[in-house]
Amino acid sequence: MKFGIGQAVPRTEDARLLTGGGRYTDDVSLPGQAFAAFVRSPHAFAAIGAIDASEALAQPGVLAVYTVADLDAEKIGMIPCQAALKQRDGSPYVKTPRPALARGLARHVGDPVAMVVAETLEAAREAPELVMVDYEDRQPVTGALEALEPGRPLVWDEAPNNLCFDWDTGDEAAVETALAGAHRVVELELVNNRVVANPMEGRACVAGVESGADGGPGRLLIYVTSQGVHGLQKQFAKILNEPESRIRVLTTDVGGGFGMKLFNYPEYVACLFAARRLNRAVKWAADRIEGFISDDHGRDHVSKARLALDADGHFLGLRVDTVANLGAYLSNYGPFIPTDAGSAMLVGSYRTPAVYVRVKGVFTNTQPVDAYRGAGRPEAAYLLERLIDHAGRVTGLGPAEIRRRNFIPASAMPYATPMGQVYDTGAFVQNLEDGLILADMAGLPARKIQAKARGKLRGAGLSTYIEACSGGGPEQATVQVNGDGKVVLMIGTQTNGQGHETAYKQILADRLGVPPEDVEVVQGDTDRVSWGSGTGGSRSVPVGGSALAEGAAKVVKAATGIAADLLETAEVDVEFAEGRFTIVGTDRSVSLKEVAAKAAEGGSGIAFSEMARWTPPASTFPNGCHIAEVEIDPATGIVEVLRYSVVDDFGTVINPMLVIGQIHGGVAQGLGQALQERVVFDPDSGQLLSGSFMDYQMPRAVDMPTIEVKLNSVPSTTNMLGMKGAGEAGAIGAPPAIINAVVDALSDLGITHIDMPATPQSVWTAIRDAETRLAAE
C-alpha cells in the first residue's frame, strides 16, 4: 500500500505549515481580549514587602494589577507536584507550595510577583516597570552540592539542608559485597549540565470566558501551547475550584515541546484567574528572555559512580550516588525525573547482577527543573556509557570489547533486570557490530594519523543505549466514519511537530484503506476529545496508534454486517482488506465508503463511531548504538563533529522518514548539550548569566555532521503494532558518544574525563593543564 505502515511518505501537515497555514497559540485572538504581563523578581532570593501599584494603575489602558493577595481572596489553589515518591526511610518527600504569584518570598530570578492586565500589549509591557516592590535581598544558593552544605541559606524552612528527598532503589548490600570483592573498581564523577529547552515557539496562553445560555458568564476556556490538554484541565479545575466541565482547554499547532510544555505554569493559572475576574479574554506570550527565566529547565545532576569488575572485565555491581537540582519550586513531575523515571535504566543493555542507586533532590534558588527530552533516561545513559567507556580504557579492553563481554545476549530475551524491568527484545551485539562497520572504525587509526599531520586531535566515541518508553497509562482514540466515507480521528495525544497526523493517517490507511486526504485528525480540544494522556515519553504513536488500530478494528467489525447485507451473504463469509469488503473466494465486493453511505442513511451523517482505550502492558525498549567522530584544534579547543553513525532498533517503523527526522533532531539536541549548552548562575547573586542567545549557545546547522542511520528492527511484543518509541533516542545516545569521542581524542595527553559541555574554553584549558603536567613529569 502506497501510504500504509512502513512507507517513507512526506508529512501531510508540512504543506499547511510551510505555507503559513499553521495556527499557533499566539496566533489566537479572542474578541475584546486584554493583555497580561508579569512583574518578576530581579532577585534570586528576597523577602517581598509592600507592593505599590498605584502608578501603574494610573496609566492609560491598565485594567488591573493582581498579587497573591487577590488570588488568596478567591481561594485560588497551588500548582501541584504530582510525583509519587517515598524517601529511603518511607517518609514522604518535602512538598512545598507553588502559588501562581509569589507569596512572601521570591525564590528565583523571574519568579512572578504581580500581574498586570491592560487593554493593549504595549501598555501591558510598560506597566510592570511602574509597580514598586519592596524587596529585602537574601543570600541565594544555586548549586546542587552547595545547597546541601551545612549553614547554607534555606530555600524553604521546612526543608533542612535544602533536602527535598533522599531516595534509593536497588540492592545496596549486594552491590557493596560486589565492590568489596571485585578485582577492580572503576570510579567516575560527572556532571549532567542544566539546559533550557528553547523550543521555536515560546510558551503562551489566551484565557477567556464563554457566553452563558442566559447571556451571563459561561465556561472558562484557555488556548495554551501544551503537550496535552486533559491533564491541564484537571489541574485548572482543582486550582480554580471549578468543575472540569466548566473549563475548556484547547491546544492548536505547537512549535516544539521537548517535555517542557507538558507542565502547568503560574502564568496560565493567573490568566484564567484574571479572565474570570474581568469577564474578558486575557492573552500572554513569553518573549525569549522571559522564557529563559520562567520555563522549566532540564537535567542538572552531579553523580558519582562506582563499577565493580572481575579479572575478565565482567561487571559485578554498580553503585550510583546522585544529587539532583530541583530548583526553587517542585514542577509537576520534578522529583520523578531523577528517581523512578531514569534510575531503572542504569542497568543499560548489560548483565550487571546488582545495582544500587541513591538520589538526593535539593532545592536551590533557580528555575524549577523537570522533564527534558528523554526525562531521566538520557541522564542514566550518559552516566553509564561514560563510566563503561572509562572502564574500557582503565582495563585495556577498549570501548567495544568491554561492552561485548557484558551485553545481554538476544537469546536471553525476555530478560529480567535487577532493577525490575523486563526487556522483551533486543539485539545489542548486532547493533554494536553494525555500528562499527557503519562508522568505519577499522579506518580510524589512519584518520588519526592524518589529523595529527594537520595539527589536529581526532577521536571516536560510542554509546550503546536502551531506554524504557511508550508505557504507563492508557490512551484513547475515537474513529468516526462519516456517510461520505471520510474519517475523523479524535485522539488524546498532542502533536508538537513530530508528525502525528501523518503517522496516524498511515495506520488508518493500513487498517481501513482510507486515503490520507479523507482523514481529519483532531487533537487538543477537551470538548471534541473526551479523554487523553497527552504526549510524552515517546508514547503517542506506539500507545495512541495502538488505540487507533483497535478503534479501526471495531469500525470494521461494526461495518461487516452492513456489508454482508449489501452483498446478500452471511457475515461470516465477508472479509475486509484494503478498504473493501469481499465475499471470500469471489470477486464480489463493496467499499467501506459504500457501506458508510448505507449506514448513514436517514441519520446524522455519521456512519460509525468507535472508541477504543488501550493500555500498554509494559514499556517498549528502543535501543541502539551511536558512534561519533570528532576533531579538536588544540590551539583553540574547538571540537568539530565530523561523522556520526546510528544503528537503532525501534521495532516496527510506521514511517522511516519520520523516524530519521526524530533521530536527527535528538542528535542535534544531544550535541548541543554535549558541546555548547549550559545554564550558568552567578554563585553570589543567583543571577542567570546565560539568559539569552548571546550567552547560551544553541546548535546550528553548521555544527551538525551528516548522520548515517541504519535501522535494525526487532518488533516489540508489548503493543499490537510492534513499535518502540523513537522520539527521545537521539538525545539519549548522542551526549555520551560525543564526550567519549572527545576523551578519545585527548587520551594521549592523559585526559580521562571532561564534563559537558566540552566548550572550546574547557577543552583548551584541559589541554593546557595536561601539557603542563606532562612537562613537569
Side-chain angles (χ1 to χ4, degrees):
M1 181 176 291
K2 185 178 179 181
F3 200 83
I5 290 175
Q7 301 300 310
V9 297
R11 304 191 337 165
T12 60
E13 51 267 74
D14 283 353
R16 174 177 63 85
L17 296 173
L18 291 172
T19 56
R23 188 176 185 236
Y24 298 89
T25 300
D26 198 38
D27 294 323
V28 175
S29 291
L30 299 178
Q33 71 186 13
F35 296 85
F38 289 86
V39 178
R40 298 185 181 276
S41 171
H43 305 284
F45 201 19
I48 300 170
I51 300 176
D52 182 359
S54 57
E55 189 175 354
L57 287 167
Q59 297 304 302
V62 174
L63 300 171
V65 177
Y66 298 120
T67 68
V68 72
D70 298 291
L71 274 60
D72 289 344
E74 292 198 15
K75 297 183 170 53
I76 302 299
M78 300 294 111
I79 297 173
C81 177
Q82 299 177 319
L85 196 73
K86 294 288 186 182
Q87 298 199 71
R88 294 175 69 218
D89 61 5
S91 64
Y93 64 94
V94 179
K95 274 196 175 183
T96 52
R98 190 184 187 188
L101 297 172
R103 177 185 290 112
L105 290 170
R107 289 181 165 86
H108 66 83
V109 171
D111 206 354
V113 174
M115 175 193 196
V116 174
V117 183
E119 294 280 3
T120 66
L121 179 60
E122 292 74 17
R125 286 179 171 173
E126 292 172 2
E129 297 181 8
L130 303 177
V131 177
M132 299 294 107
V133 182
D134 289 337
Y135 292 105
E136 182 186 327
D137 198 9
R138 297 186 177 188
Q139 180 64 39
V141 60
T142 60
L145 297 181
E146 171 195 358
L148 287 172
E149 294 173 356
R152 289 291 183 177
L154 296 182
V155 181
W156 295 91
D157 290 341
E158 51 265 54
N161 296 317
N162 292 306
L163 185 66
C164 175
F165 60 80
D166 184 352
W167 176 93
D168 69 353
T169 187
D171 190 335
E172 183 177 18
V175 170
E176 291 303 316
T177 299
L179 290 168
H183 174 76
R184 185 192 301 269
V185 175
V186 176
E187 299 186 6
L188 191 65
E189 294 186 28
L190 69 169
V191 173
N192 205 293
N193 46 314
R194 180 183 282 228
V195 294
V196 180
N198 280 320
M200 289 183 78
E201 177 205 27
R203 288 191 301 112
C205 69
V206 189
V209 183
E210 296 179 339
S211 296
D214 58 358
R219 296 186 305 171
L220 290 170
L221 80 158
I222 181 170
Y223 286 86
V224 59
T225 178
S226 82
Q227 292 179 222
V229 294
H230 296 90
L232 289 176
Q233 182 189 43
K234 289 182 182 296
Q235 289 191 51
F236 292 150
K238 188 171 183 179
I239 293 168
L240 293 161
N241 303 300
E242 296 272 7
E244 288 181 30
S245 60
R246 292 273 300 168
I247 301 178
R248 183 184 183 187
V249 184
L250 303 101
T251 292
T252 54
D253 290 315
V254 179
F258 313 121
M260 184 272 288
K261 290 181 181 173
L262 189 63
F263 321 121
N264 195 358
Y265 285 90
E267 296 87 356
Y268 307 158
V269 174
C271 284
L272 279 165
F273 161 80
R276 186 172 68 178
R277 184 79 165 261
L278 296 170
N279 192 27
R280 65 185 295 183
V282 177
K283 184 174 186 175
W284 169 81
D287 61 24
R288 185 59 66 182
I289 291 176
E290 194 172 17
F292 269 96
I293 60 174
S294 66
D295 294 347
D296 283 359
H297 293 177
R299 314 296 193 232
D300 204 345
H301 295 180
V302 181
S303 298
K304 180 177 182 180
R306 304 179 70 208
L307 180 65
L309 302 97
D310 68 14
D312 295 318
H314 296 122
F315 304 160
L316 303 175
L318 170 67
R319 179 178 179 125
V320 176
D321 291 272
T322 292
V323 179
N325 192 337
L326 303 172
Y329 298 97
L330 297 181
S331 181
N332 282 165
Y333 307 104
F336 171 72
I337 304 308
T339 54
D340 286 314
S343 292
M345 300 316 298
L346 282 163
V347 175
S349 47
Y350 308 104
R351 290 173 292 135
T352 308
V355 178
Y356 175 72
V357 183
R358 184 175 179 181
V359 182
K360 294 181 178 180
V362 299
F363 292 109
T364 62
N365 295 113
T366 64
Q367 285 69 23
V369 178
D370 210 315
Y372 172 68
R373 196 170 189 168
R377 282 92 75 193
E379 294 92 320
Y382 177 70
L383 182 149
L384 185 63
E385 292 302 300
R386 274 296 299 125
L387 177 65
I388 289 172
D389 218 70
H390 183 56
R393 295 183 182 281
V394 170
T395 60
L397 293 173
E401 180 57 29
I402 196 169
R403 288 175 168 87
R404 289 190 190 100
R405 294 191 183 191
N406 289 281
F407 275 143
I408 302 163
S411 60
M413 300 298 170
Y415 181 84
T417 77
M419 300 295 275
Q421 299 278 19
V422 178
Y423 300 164
D424 61 323
T425 60
F428 310 137
V429 175
Q430 186 67 52
N431 292 340
L432 173 62
E433 303 303 341
D434 288 353
L436 295 174
I437 294 170
L438 189 65
D440 184 25
M441 289 293 278
L444 178 64
R447 295 193 293 275
K448 283 191 172 187
I449 292 171
Q450 293 166 2
K452 189 173 183 179
R454 292 183 282 106
K456 301 292 181 69
L457 305 174
R458 196 168 183 122
L462 64 88
S463 67
T464 53
Y465 78 92
I466 184 170
E467 70 147 327
C469 63
S470 307
E475 191 50 77
Q476 178 176 300
T478 298
V479 180
Q480 175 184 301
V481 182
N482 295 330
D484 58 2
K486 295 186 177 181
V487 175
V488 180
L489 168 65
M490 289 161 280
I491 191 163
T493 57
Q494 178 60 56
T495 183
N496 285 193
Q498 303 95 327
H500 288 186
E501 180 181 307
T502 304
Y504 291 150
K505 287 180 177 180
Q506 286 185 260
I507 296 171
L508 282 169
D510 184 83
R511 297 305 167 99
L512 295 181
V514 183
E517 60 270 19
D518 285 350
V519 177
E520 176 191 0
V521 178
V522 177
Q523 301 180 83
D525 186 341
T526 54
D527 271 9
R528 297 192 67 188
V529 183
S530 63
W531 189 89
S533 294
T535 288
S538 296
R539 68 192 310 277
S540 288
V541 179
V543 183
S546 294
L548 159 57
E550 191 170 296
K554 288 184 175 183
V555 166
V556 171
K557 184 176 180 180
T560 300
I562 298 174
D565 291 342
L566 290 173
L567 292 167
E568 298 178 333
T569 189
E571 190 172 333
V572 71
D573 293 328
V574 177
E575 63 181 3
F576 180 78
E578 297 187 5
R580 300 193 69 84
F581 295 89
T582 304
I583 299 176
V584 177
T586 76
D587 60 358
R588 291 182 58 207
S589 67
V590 291
S591 67
L592 176 60
K593 186 173 183 178
E594 292 172 293
V595 173
K598 180 65 176 178
E601 283 181 358
S604 63
I606 298 174
F608 309 102
S609 183
E610 297 291 341
M611 185 272 283
R613 185 176 289 191
W614 189 81
T615 302
S619 296
T620 69
F621 296 96
N623 57 89
C625 174
H626 287 220
I627 300 179
E629 193 164 329
V630 305
E631 248 183 29
I632 298 173
D633 183 345
T636 62
I638 292 174
V639 178
E640 183 180 3
V641 182
L642 299 176
R643 301 173 62 141
Y644 201 94
S645 306
V646 176
V647 177
D648 273 328
D649 170 14
F650 296 131
T652 302
V653 174
I654 301 295
N655 184 327
M657 189 182 297
L658 292 183
V659 163
I660 290 172
Q662 287 294 304
I663 293 170
H664 286 189
V667 169
Q669 286 184 277
L671 180 149
Q673 183 178 11
L675 298 179
Q676 300 167 343
E677 299 182 53
R678 181 177 58 154
V679 174
V680 180
F681 296 97
D682 181 274
D684 295 322
S685 68
Q687 292 295 319
L688 179 61
L689 301 181
S690 55
S692 76
F693 288 149
M694 293 291 289
D695 303 294
Y696 186 97
Q697 185 179 354
M698 295 283 283
R700 299 162 297 174
V702 71
D703 301 317
M704 289 294 293
T706 298
I707 301 173
E708 294 187 78
V709 178
K710 182 178 188 294
L711 298 178
N712 281 352
S713 296
V714 183
S716 172
T717 63
T718 65
N719 63 77
M720 64 179 64
L721 297 175
M723 298 177 60
K724 301 173 183 177
E728 297 156 317
I732 295 172
I738 292 170
I739 294 298
N740 286 341
V742 171
V743 171
D744 182 53
L746 300 174
S747 60
D748 287 347
L749 296 171
I751 295 170
T752 60
H753 178 64
I754 191 165
D755 274 318
M756 297 190 292
T759 62
Q761 180 182 9
S762 64
V763 173
W764 184 89
T765 301
I767 292 171
R768 298 288 87 77
D769 290 347
E771 289 175 339
T772 301
R773 185 180 64 253
L774 291 172
E777 291 178 352

